[in-house]
Amino acid sequence: MIPVETLAAFFAASLLLALSPGPDNLFVLAQAATQGSRAGLAVVLGLCTGLIVHSSAVALGVAALFRTSAPAFTALKILGAGYLLFLAVQTFRSSGKAADSTAPPRLRLRRLYLRGIVLNVTNPKVSIFFLAFLPQFADPARGSISVQIFLLGAVFMLATVLVFGGIALLAGRLGDWFTGSEKARTVLNRAAGLLFLGLALKLALARR
């Protein structure tokens, strides 16, 4: 089994990585600011579910495919970029409707949860990152590497929930202050749409 000291070091590193600005925490921030804290938390749970997929890919050796196969990497990132572009278009459209309504449209939590899963799973860079990061804290002398990878993935998810959950609660609170103003609501939605557009472009241009 992995020593407590190693797990503590891994947890600390995971917290720092979760705090650094990236597509996932920016996505949480945007969704929570426009849809509320509960929506942000639903996205966080979806992202963490996606991390289970990436942990499994590393443990089973599938993640190596995205590092060695350019077509597989490109196909997955195009899917992810296309999905983000779709969300950007939807957000821009809703910003126009928000100006004509007294309350911002709210999405179902299940839909937001699925958004988090799709965003995370369709980012091949997450698999490659896990492939490079998790094995550094695993040791064949301690037993099954696959079991250790799953354990490390769970610890990483805990760090993600704590950091991203805090972002969701804070962004949701700040977003609530804006919802009283139709103009502010429209600006907030359009800013979120621009963020999704930027994330789509960044993912589309990503290299292995």
Side-chain angles (χ1 to χ4, degrees):
M1 190 56 64
I2 303 176
V4 175
E5 297 80 5
T6 301
L7 285 177
F10 178 81
F11 181 69
S14 299
L15 285 175
L16 291 175
L17 289 168
L19 285 167
S20 62
D24 286 354
N25 50 23
L26 290 177
F27 187 77
V28 171
L29 188 151
Q31 292 287 21
T34 57
Q35 297 288 326
S37 296
R38 292 182 64 195
L41 292 174
V43 172
V44 171
L45 292 178
L47 291 171
C48 287
T49 302
L51 291 178
I52 295 176
V53 175
H54 290 297
S55 297
S56 300
V58 174
L60 300 175
V62 178
L65 176 65
F66 299 115
R67 188 175 63 180
T68 58
S69 172
F73 181 88
T74 301
L76 194 58
K77 78 171 185 178
I78 288 176
L79 284 174
Y83 183 68
L84 283 167
L85 183 60
F86 168 74
L87 293 182
V89 171
Q90 278 197 325
T91 305
F92 281 129
R93 286 179 176 174
S94 67
S95 69
K97 296 177 183 177
D100 301 325
S101 61
T102 57
R106 298 282 177 171
L107 298 175
R108 291 184 178 180
L109 296 181
R110 180 176 177 272
R111 186 175 177 183
L112 290 160
Y113 170 72
L114 291 175
R115 277 189 178 185
I117 295 176
V118 174
L119 176 69
N120 191 269
V121 170
T122 57
N123 187 350
K125 296 198 75 174
V126 178
S127 282
I128 293 176
F129 167 73
F130 264 32
L131 185 62
F133 184 56
L134 300 189
Q136 294 183 40
F137 295 85
D139 186 347
R142 302 186 191 121
S144 172
I145 289 293
S146 296
V147 172
Q148 293 180 62
I149 292 297
F150 280 119
L151 176 57
L152 291 169
V155 173
F156 191 92
M157 280 183 274
L158 174 61
T160 300
V161 167
L162 292 176
V163 175
F164 286 15
I167 292 173
L169 292 175
L170 179 59
R173 182 64 61 86
L174 293 174
D176 288 342
W177 293 347
F178 286 99
T179 54
S181 167
E182 292 182 8
K183 184 176 180 180
R185 249 190 346 254
T186 301
V187 171
L188 191 62
N189 279 336
R190 287 177 179 170
L194 287 173
L195 176 60
F196 295 157
L197 189 60
L199 292 176
L201 181 61
K202 181 178 179 181
L203 182 57
L205 297 176
R207 297 181 179 180
R208 289 181 294 159

